[in-house]
Amino acid sequence: MILTSKSNPVIKTVKSLADKKFRQSLNLFIVEGVKSVEECISAGCKIDKIICTEKWQDRYSEPVVVSDELFKSVSTEATPQGVLAVVQIPKTQLKAPEGDCLLLDCLQDPGNLGTVIRTANAAGYEDIYLINCTDPYSPKAVRASMGGVFRVNLYRADRDKIFGILSGVPLVCADMNGEDIFTFSPPKKFCLCIGNEGSGISDEVSARADFTVKIPMRATCESLNAAVSAGIAMYALKNLK
């Protein structure tokens, strides 16, 4: 059977997941696109259901098949491929990092957050702590993470709980007033802190910093994009150890 009605309960649920409050209440998020869905499956994520057009129905086990027009109505992509998965948000118990980790302090742009997660996965930062950040499971953040959101541990909690769990782990904050990151000698284990796109590291996180580092720039450049800065810092600190 091919669904065609926008009033179908499954379709209503999928559409609601564009909204953060429904993602939180249902503990579900959307992954869209053939490559992303297959990476999600290979990563062992818990798939609630797969929605696809008739073109893709033989590729998956027991998918919900919908018309092309109905799929377009629930898609968040400019050019939908015709495949999306409804996925359970992992229930990660807050715990101390096993290796080098990230603390993201009030990142608000989902594209930046997703890109940071993508780079963290590539660079080997498996534990990421989020304080007052935008939702990493929004469609835009998931898309920008390019599968990274399936491969890292995301911990969302208030500052005090995260500070408590990171007790004993040196905090290395990225800030324009720090020392040159390329001549810095990082500790054996550390937590790299990346701040808000506009205001940088918050006073609360800055007050707990053990080290502050900066990426040197020409005088003609005022700042770098938060995700670009995070990527440079992640690789620089790994390579300096």
Side-chain angles (χ1 to χ4, degrees):
M1 183 178 72
I2 300 175
L3 296 183
T4 59
S5 173
K6 292 181 181 180
S7 62
N8 183 280
V10 172
I11 300 305
K12 285 185 173 181
T13 296
V14 172
K15 292 191 77 169
S16 76
L17 296 176
D19 191 317
K20 179 181 177 180
K21 71 177 180 181
F22 289 108
R23 290 195 295 272
Q24 291 181 332
S25 64
L26 297 173
N27 203 51
L28 297 170
F29 71 105
I30 295 294
V31 175
E32 189 168 350
V34 177
K35 186 175 186 297
S36 294
V37 167
E38 295 190 351
E39 186 157 353
C40 181
I41 294 169
S42 71
C45 298
K46 294 182 179 178
I47 310 295
D48 187 71
K49 57 180 64 70
I50 289 178
I51 317 288
C52 69
T53 57
E54 197 173 4
K55 173 184 176 181
W56 301 102
Q57 64 179 329
D58 295 331
R59 194 179 184 106
Y60 305 101
S61 175
E62 299 183 0
V64 176
V65 184
V66 303
S67 67
D68 289 355
E69 284 304 309
L70 187 56
F71 191 92
K72 287 177 185 177
S73 76
V74 299
S75 174
T76 61
E77 299 279 0
T79 53
Q81 293 182 353
V83 177
L84 66 79
V86 179
V87 186
Q88 292 183 28
I89 294 174
K91 293 182 178 179
T92 50
Q93 201 73 23
L94 189 62
K95 65 179 183 66
E98 294 186 8
D100 299 327
C101 64
L102 287 181
L103 188 158
L104 305 182
D105 184 19
C106 303
L107 280 186
Q108 294 304 305
D109 182 271
N112 276 337
L113 180 57
T115 302
V116 171
I117 291 170
R118 176 184 183 180
T119 309
N121 176 48
Y125 292 76
E126 293 186 0
D127 296 306
I128 304 177
Y129 300 86
L130 295 91
I131 298 174
N132 296 333
C133 289
T134 191
D135 185 3
Y137 296 105
S138 71
K140 187 174 181 180
V142 171
R143 186 162 53 246
S145 81
M146 294 295 289
V149 72
F150 316 136
R151 304 288 184 178
V152 299
N153 303 313
L154 299 176
Y155 305 101
R156 295 182 282 180
D158 62 36
R159 282 190 178 91
D160 289 340
K161 286 183 179 177
I162 287 178
F163 287 152
I165 213 74
L166 292 176
S167 177
V169 179
L171 300 187
V172 179
C173 288
D175 185 86
M176 291 299 296
N177 296 315
E179 61 180 289
D180 188 330
I181 193 170
F182 296 109
T183 56
F184 172 68
S185 296
K188 187 174 181 180
K189 181 179 178 179
F190 62 84
C191 175
L192 171 61
C193 306
I194 302 296
N196 175 268
E197 292 89 346
S199 54
I201 297 289
S202 66
D203 292 341
E204 293 86 348
V205 173
S206 182
R208 291 176 176 263
D210 296 280
F211 307 97
T212 304
V213 295
K214 69 177 178 182
I215 298 168
M217 295 181 291
R218 296 174 66 189
T220 52
C221 182
E222 183 180 331
S223 64
L224 289 171
N225 168 274
V228 171
S229 297
I232 293 170
M234 278 187 264
Y235 276 98
L237 291 176
K238 286 280 192 183
N239 289 335
L240 288 167
K241 291 175 73 173

